[in-house]
Amino acid sequence: MKQRIEIESLSKKYTIPSVVTMPDSKGPHPVVVMCHGTGSNKDEAGNLYVQLAESLEKQDIASIRFDFVGNGESKEDYIGYTLSSAVDDVKSIVEYIKQHPSLSEEHMGCVGFSQGGSVMVLSVSEIEEFKCGVGWSAALTLIEMADEEMRKTAETQGWAWLNFDFRDSVRLSKQWMDEASELDLLPLLEKRGLPLLAIAGTLDTVVDCACSEKMVKATHNSLSELMLVEGDHIFCVFEHDKVWPKVIEKTTVWLKEML
C-alpha cells in the first residue's frame, strides 16, 4: 500500500512531501528511510527508490521516501537546503515513525544515494534509532560541487547558482558550502560502528567507488559489506542491462537480515 502524505518539519516552518509504502501484513513493520541525491527527488533517478520500496514491501518492510527542501514537490526554495536541514528532515521523518502504530522504531534503517549517502551517514551518527545504513554511490566529500568562483560569489551575496543538466538551476547557499567544507564522515562511521552496506559502480565518474570501500572499513563492523558493480553513478538505470536490479536485490536482502 502506497500513501502520499505531508510530514511536518520539526521546525514547523514547512511540510515534507513523502510517500509511505506499507506492507499488507500486520505491523508494526521494520521501516527504511530513503534520502535522495543532489537535485533529485523522492523517487530517485529512473525510479530507483520506487523500485526499492516495492521490493522491500514484498519482504514485509515499510519505507518512507521524501523530498528534501527545494526538491521534487517541496514548496521551499533550494537555498534553504543544507546538510543540517537535510538531517533535520530525516529527524522529522523519524518522529513521524515513532508516532505511527504500524511502523517499528525498534527496527529502522536508512538508505542514501550520492549526497543522500552523506546525509545518511550524518543521520545515523545522530539518530540512535537507526540500526543500520546503506550507501548507494555515497559521497565522502561534497565541496567540489561548488567551484572557486561559486564560493567567491557566495561570500558576497550568500549564495551562488548551481547548474544541472536535468533540472532548473538552483541557489546553493553559503551555509551549504560552509558545512560541506567541514564534512568529515569517516570518524562518524567509526564512532557509531553501525552495520553499513555500501554499493558503488566501478565506472562511476561522479563519486569514486573507493569512497564506499573507505566507509565500510571505517565502521569496523563484521556485518558491514561492500558491493561493487560494473555500472555508473546511477547504476545504468536508463540503460538496458542488469546492473540496477542487482543493487535493489542486494539492498533488500541485506536490510531484511539487519532489520
Side-chain angles (χ1 to χ4, degrees), residues 15-33:
T15 57
I16 305 169
S18 308
V19 175
V20 180
T21 302
M22 192 81 68
D24 292 330
S25 57
K26 184 179 179 181
H29 303 286
V31 58
V32 174
V33 179

Side-chain angles (χ1 to χ4, degrees), residues 23-87:
D24 292 330
S25 57
K26 184 179 179 181
H29 303 286
V31 58
V32 174
V33 179
M34 302 181 188
C35 304
H36 68 73
T38 307
S40 189
N41 60 61
K42 58 183 170 294
D43 292 342
E44 258 307 344
N47 287 332
L48 278 173
Y49 273 180
V50 177
Q51 300 284 346
L52 178 59
E54 293 175 352
S55 180
L56 291 170
E57 182 184 10
K58 293 176 183 177
Q59 298 299 320
D60 290 329
I61 300 174
S63 64
I64 301 180
R65 60 186 193 273
F66 63 98
D67 292 322
F68 286 119
V69 168
N71 295 279
E73 297 177 306
S74 170
K75 297 179 176 62
E76 305 303 304
D77 191 306
Y78 194 95
I79 197 172
Y81 174 79
T82 63
L83 294 174
S84 55
S85 79
V87 174

Side-chain angles (χ1 to χ4, degrees), residues 21-23 26-34 56 59-64 93-94 97-98 100-111 124 127-133 192 194 254-259:
T21 302
M22 192 81 68
K26 184 179 179 181
H29 303 286
V31 58
V32 174
V33 179
M34 302 181 188
L56 291 170
Q59 298 299 320
D60 290 329
I61 300 174
S63 64
I64 301 180
I93 304 300
V94 170
I97 291 170
K98 289 180 177 180
H100 199 299
S102 295
L103 299 174
S104 174
E105 65 179 274
E106 303 297 325
H107 303 277
M108 289 184 7
C110 187
V111 176
V124 300
I127 304 170
E128 294 183 355
E129 286 83 359
F130 284 126
K131 306 304 180 187
C132 61
R192 186 79 203 277
L194 284 182
W254 191 83
L255 285 170
K256 178 72 171 180
E257 292 176 354
M258 294 300 110
L259 299 177

Side-chain angles (χ1 to χ4, degrees), residues 1-255:
M1 180 182 68
K2 183 171 67 176
Q3 181 182 13
R4 291 184 174 273
I5 61 173
E6 296 281 337
I7 295 176
E8 187 174 38
S9 66
L10 292 180
S11 67
K12 301 188 184 300
K13 294 181 179 179
Y14 58 89
T15 57
I16 305 169
S18 308
V19 175
V20 180
T21 302
M22 192 81 68
D24 292 330
S25 57
K26 184 179 179 181
H29 303 286
V31 58
V32 174
V33 179
M34 302 181 188
C35 304
H36 68 73
T38 307
S40 189
N41 60 61
K42 58 183 170 294
D43 292 342
E44 258 307 344
N47 287 332
L48 278 173
Y49 273 180
V50 177
Q51 300 284 346
L52 178 59
E54 293 175 352
S55 180
L56 291 170
E57 182 184 10
K58 293 176 183 177
Q59 298 299 320
D60 290 329
I61 300 174
S63 64
I64 301 180
R65 60 186 193 273
F66 63 98
D67 292 322
F68 286 119
V69 168
N71 295 279
E73 297 177 306
S74 170
K75 297 179 176 62
E76 305 303 304
D77 191 306
Y78 194 95
I79 197 172
Y81 174 79
T82 63
L83 294 174
S84 55
S85 79
V87 174
D88 284 346
D89 284 351
V90 176
K91 290 178 179 177
S92 301
I93 304 300
V94 170
E95 286 304 309
Y96 171 85
I97 291 170
K98 289 180 177 180
Q99 298 169 21
H100 199 299
S102 295
L103 299 174
S104 174
E105 65 179 274
E106 303 297 325
H107 303 277
M108 289 184 7
C110 187
V111 176
F113 200 159
S114 194
Q115 182 174 186
S118 306
V119 174
M120 177 273 295
V121 174
L122 292 170
S123 297
V124 300
S125 70
E126 291 189 33
I127 304 170
E128 294 183 355
E129 286 83 359
F130 284 126
K131 306 304 180 187
C132 61
V134 178
W136 286 0
S137 305
L140 272 177
T141 62
L142 297 168
I143 192 58
E144 297 85 357
M145 287 170 50
D147 59 28
E148 185 176 352
E149 183 178 352
M150 291 172 64
R151 294 180 217 177
K152 287 182 178 179
T153 300
E155 285 290 338
T156 58
Q157 68 179 20
W159 59 273
W161 287 112
L162 176 62
N163 300 315
F164 299 96
D165 57 7
F166 57 89
R167 63 167 288 178
D168 293 340
S169 299
V170 298
R171 296 191 296 167
L172 189 66
S173 71
K174 180 180 181 299
Q175 182 180 345
W176 182 94
M177 298 180 198
D178 290 343
E179 292 180 0
S181 66
E182 297 175 358
L183 194 65
D184 193 8
L185 297 178
L186 294 182
L188 298 178
L189 287 166
E190 185 172 7
K191 182 177 180 180
R192 186 79 203 277
L194 284 182
L196 175 73
L197 170 65
I199 304 179
T202 56
L203 306 178
D204 191 342
T205 59
V206 179
V207 176
D208 193 318
C209 62
C211 291
S212 292
E213 183 178 4
K214 292 176 182 177
M215 287 183 174
V216 168
K217 287 182 178 179
T219 66
H220 299 290
N221 191 309
S222 61
L223 297 176
S224 294
E225 290 189 42
L226 171 68
M227 177 182 179
L228 298 179
V229 296
E230 191 175 352
D232 59 12
H233 188 62
I234 56 175
F235 308 125
C236 304
V237 69
F238 295 115
E239 300 176 18
H240 297 291
D241 58 36
K242 301 299 181 181
V243 175
W244 66 266
K246 295 178 182 178
V247 175
I248 300 291
E249 180 181 8
K250 177 61 179 179
T251 302
T252 302
V253 170
W254 191 83
L255 285 170

